[in-house]
Amino acid sequence: MFWKKKKNAIAITTAKKGSGKIKINGVPINLVHPLDIKNKILEPFFILGSNERLNLNFDIFSKGGGKVSQIYAIRQSISKCLVFYYYKYISASKSNLLKIKYLTYDKKLLISDVSRIEPKKYGGLGARARFQKSYR
């Protein structure tokens, strides 16, 4: 079981032996629309390659944040889970190759984004904006 965060979104992925089904919050991946979101979620599998067919069922639970943050948290947790699976059950060298593939394609597949909203401060309307100064 792996979990990843993107801003306020959290995704928890569990992988079990099975027939290769992927469910997100109990919904099969085939029913996820629009197609761009589905492709973004499946990117870790596309990078893995079609010749590497894994017989794993992925159950993914995501909550919090917005839709885009949830998608990025889901793809991070899937890629982290696949790297660990390769390390534990296949070989450490293939796991390192997969990790390098992920990092060269997109660094955010394995490394979390720690950006947060900067809090508002006194003397202005926002975090950096200040009230206008007048001399008359």
mmCIF file of all heavy atoms in Angstrom, residues 115-132:
data_model
loop_
_atom_site.group_PDB
_atom_site.id
_atom_site.type_symbol
_atom_site.label_atom_id
_atom_site.label_comp_id
_atom_site.label_asym_id
_atom_site.label_seq_id
_atom_site.Cartn_x
_atom_site.Cartn_y
_atom_site.Cartn_z
ATOM 1 N N SER A 115 4.603 22.438 -2.942
ATOM 2 C CA SER A 115 4.109 23.820 -2.982
ATOM 3 C C SER A 115 2.803 23.944 -2.213
ATOM 4 O O SER A 115 1.923 23.091 -2.297
ATOM 5 C CB SER A 115 3.907 24.273 -4.428
ATOM 6 O OG SER A 115 2.952 23.469 -5.063
ATOM 7 N N ARG A 116 2.690 24.991 -1.457
ATOM 8 C CA ARG A 116 1.492 25.283 -0.669
ATOM 9 C C ARG A 116 1.119 26.745 -0.891
ATOM 10 O O ARG A 116 1.933 27.549 -1.357
ATOM 11 C CB ARG A 116 1.743 25.060 0.822
ATOM 12 C CG ARG A 116 2.113 23.659 1.204
ATOM 13 C CD ARG A 116 0.896 22.740 1.105
ATOM 14 N NE ARG A 116 1.205 21.392 1.515
ATOM 15 C CZ ARG A 116 1.489 20.396 0.710
ATOM 16 N NH1 ARG A 116 1.552 20.607 -0.584
ATOM 17 N NH2 ARG A 116 1.736 19.193 1.154
ATOM 18 N N ILE A 117 -0.096 27.115 -0.506
ATOM 19 C CA ILE A 117 -0.535 28.495 -0.625
ATOM 20 C C ILE A 117 0.121 29.304 0.491
ATOM 21 O O ILE A 117 0.112 28.906 1.665
ATOM 22 C CB ILE A 117 -2.066 28.586 -0.526
ATOM 23 C CG1 ILE A 117 -2.698 27.873 -1.706
ATOM 24 C CG2 ILE A 117 -2.525 30.028 -0.479
ATOM 25 C CD1 ILE A 117 -4.198 27.771 -1.631
ATOM 26 N N GLU A 118 0.708 30.438 0.125
ATOM 27 C CA GLU A 118 1.352 31.290 1.106
ATOM 28 C C GLU A 118 0.279 31.998 1.934
ATOM 29 O O GLU A 118 -0.674 32.544 1.379
ATOM 30 C CB GLU A 118 2.237 32.320 0.392
ATOM 31 C CG GLU A 118 3.107 33.108 1.331
ATOM 32 C CD GLU A 118 4.066 34.023 0.596
ATOM 33 O OE1 GLU A 118 4.190 33.917 -0.630
ATOM 34 O OE2 GLU A 118 4.686 34.857 1.269
ATOM 35 N N PRO A 119 0.394 32.004 3.247
ATOM 36 C CA PRO A 119 -0.648 32.612 4.077
ATOM 37 C C PRO A 119 -0.664 34.138 3.976
ATOM 38 O O PRO A 119 0.356 34.774 3.709
ATOM 39 C CB PRO A 119 -0.289 32.174 5.494
ATOM 40 C CG PRO A 119 1.143 31.830 5.450
ATOM 41 C CD PRO A 119 1.434 31.386 4.056
ATOM 42 N N LYS A 120 -1.842 34.703 4.189
ATOM 43 C CA LYS A 120 -2.026 36.156 4.159
ATOM 44 C C LYS A 120 -1.344 36.784 5.365
ATOM 45 O O LYS A 120 -1.340 36.212 6.442
ATOM 46 C CB LYS A 120 -3.520 36.483 4.181
ATOM 47 C CG LYS A 120 -3.798 37.975 4.106
ATOM 48 C CD LYS A 120 -5.218 38.280 4.495
ATOM 49 C CE LYS A 120 -5.470 39.756 4.533
ATOM 50 N NZ LYS A 120 -4.616 40.510 5.405
ATOM 51 N N LYS A 121 -0.777 37.979 5.155
ATOM 52 C CA LYS A 121 -0.127 38.702 6.231
ATOM 53 C C LYS A 121 -0.822 40.045 6.437
ATOM 54 O O LYS A 121 -1.605 40.484 5.605
ATOM 55 C CB LYS A 121 1.357 38.896 5.919
ATOM 56 C CG LYS A 121 2.150 37.611 5.969
ATOM 57 C CD LYS A 121 3.189 37.602 4.906
ATOM 58 C CE LYS A 121 3.856 36.250 4.843
ATOM 59 N NZ LYS A 121 3.608 35.586 3.606
ATOM 60 N N TYR A 122 -0.529 40.678 7.534
ATOM 61 C CA TYR A 122 -1.148 41.967 7.852
ATOM 62 C C TYR A 122 -0.612 43.052 6.928
ATOM 63 O O TYR A 122 0.455 42.915 6.337
ATOM 64 C CB TYR A 122 -0.895 42.354 9.312
ATOM 65 C CG TYR A 122 0.567 42.499 9.648
ATOM 66 C CD1 TYR A 122 1.223 43.710 9.478
ATOM 67 C CD2 TYR A 122 1.300 41.425 10.114
ATOM 68 C CE1 TYR A 122 2.565 43.844 9.768
ATOM 69 C CE2 TYR A 122 2.640 41.548 10.411
ATOM 70 C CZ TYR A 122 3.262 42.763 10.238
ATOM 71 O OH TYR A 122 4.589 42.904 10.521
ATOM 72 N N GLY A 123 -1.362 44.142 6.779
ATOM 73 C CA GLY A 123 -0.909 45.288 5.995
ATOM 74 C C GLY A 123 -1.256 45.212 4.521
ATOM 75 O O GLY A 123 -0.752 46.003 3.738
ATOM 76 N N GLY A 124 -2.100 44.273 4.143
ATOM 77 C CA GLY A 124 -2.449 44.157 2.738
ATOM 78 C C GLY A 124 -3.599 43.195 2.511
ATOM 79 O O GLY A 124 -4.134 42.613 3.444
ATOM 80 N N LEU A 125 -3.957 43.036 1.243
ATOM 81 C CA LEU A 125 -5.081 42.177 0.894
ATOM 82 C C LEU A 125 -4.680 40.713 0.744
ATOM 83 O O LEU A 125 -5.519 39.828 0.836
ATOM 84 C CB LEU A 125 -5.721 42.658 -0.423
ATOM 85 C CG LEU A 125 -6.390 44.032 -0.366
ATOM 86 C CD1 LEU A 125 -6.844 44.464 -1.741
ATOM 87 C CD2 LEU A 125 -7.574 43.977 0.591
ATOM 88 N N GLY A 126 -3.421 40.449 0.469
ATOM 89 C CA GLY A 126 -2.992 39.072 0.247
ATOM 90 C C GLY A 126 -1.661 38.784 0.889
ATOM 91 O O GLY A 126 -1.232 39.470 1.825
ATOM 92 N N ALA A 127 -0.990 37.776 0.375
ATOM 93 C CA ALA A 127 0.285 37.342 0.948
ATOM 94 C C ALA A 127 1.392 38.365 0.695
ATOM 95 O O ALA A 127 2.199 38.652 1.571
ATOM 96 C CB ALA A 127 0.676 35.995 0.366
ATOM 97 N N ARG A 128 1.422 38.952 -0.520
ATOM 98 C CA ARG A 128 2.485 39.897 -0.869
ATOM 99 C C ARG A 128 1.971 41.301 -1.130
ATOM 100 O O ARG A 128 2.731 42.262 -1.045
ATOM 101 C CB ARG A 128 3.229 39.402 -2.116
ATOM 102 C CG ARG A 128 3.865 38.026 -1.969
ATOM 103 C CD ARG A 128 5.165 38.130 -1.214
ATOM 104 N NE ARG A 128 5.736 36.834 -0.927
ATOM 105 C CZ ARG A 128 6.801 36.347 -1.504
ATOM 106 N NH1 ARG A 128 7.412 37.034 -2.437
ATOM 107 N NH2 ARG A 128 7.278 35.179 -1.149
ATOM 108 N N ALA A 129 0.692 41.446 -1.510
ATOM 109 C CA ALA A 129 0.138 42.760 -1.838
ATOM 110 C C ALA A 129 0.045 43.637 -0.593
ATOM 111 O O ALA A 129 -0.293 43.174 0.480
ATOM 112 C CB ALA A 129 -1.237 42.602 -2.469
ATOM 113 N N ARG A 130 0.337 44.907 -0.739
ATOM 114 C CA ARG A 130 0.267 45.858 0.373
ATOM 115 C C ARG A 130 -0.719 46.958 0.023
ATOM 116 O O ARG A 130 -0.956 47.240 -1.156
ATOM 117 C CB ARG A 130 1.647 46.493 0.620
ATOM 118 C CG ARG A 130 2.674 45.517 1.105
ATOM 119 C CD ARG A 130 2.366 45.087 2.543
ATOM 120 N NE ARG A 130 2.905 43.800 2.863
ATOM 121 C CZ ARG A 130 2.176 42.720 3.129
ATOM 122 N NH1 ARG A 130 0.881 42.761 3.077
ATOM 123 N NH2 ARG A 130 2.732 41.595 3.455
ATOM 124 N N PHE A 131 -1.284 47.579 1.061
ATOM 125 C CA PHE A 131 -2.184 48.709 0.838
ATOM 126 C C PHE A 131 -1.382 49.869 0.258
ATOM 127 O O PHE A 131 -0.217 50.075 0.609
ATOM 128 C CB PHE A 131 -2.855 49.132 2.145
ATOM 129 C CG PHE A 131 -3.799 48.098 2.687
ATOM 130 C CD1 PHE A 131 -3.636 47.588 3.962
ATOM 131 C CD2 PHE A 131 -4.863 47.615 1.920
ATOM 132 C CE1 PHE A 131 -4.495 46.644 4.478
ATOM 133 C CE2 PHE A 131 -5.732 46.659 2.421
ATOM 134 C CZ PHE A 131 -5.538 46.181 3.700
ATOM 135 N N GLN A 132 -2.031 50.655 -0.623
ATOM 136 C CA GLN A 132 -1.352 51.744 -1.284
ATOM 137 C C GLN A 132 -1.067 52.864 -0.281
ATOM 138 O O GLN A 132 -1.911 53.203 0.546
ATOM 139 C CB GLN A 132 -2.235 52.269 -2.429
ATOM 140 C CG GLN A 132 -1.536 53.275 -3.302
ATOM 141 C CD GLN A 132 -2.373 53.597 -4.534
ATOM 142 O OE1 GLN A 132 -3.390 52.984 -4.776
ATOM 143 N NE2 GLN A 132 -1.919 54.572 -5.305
#
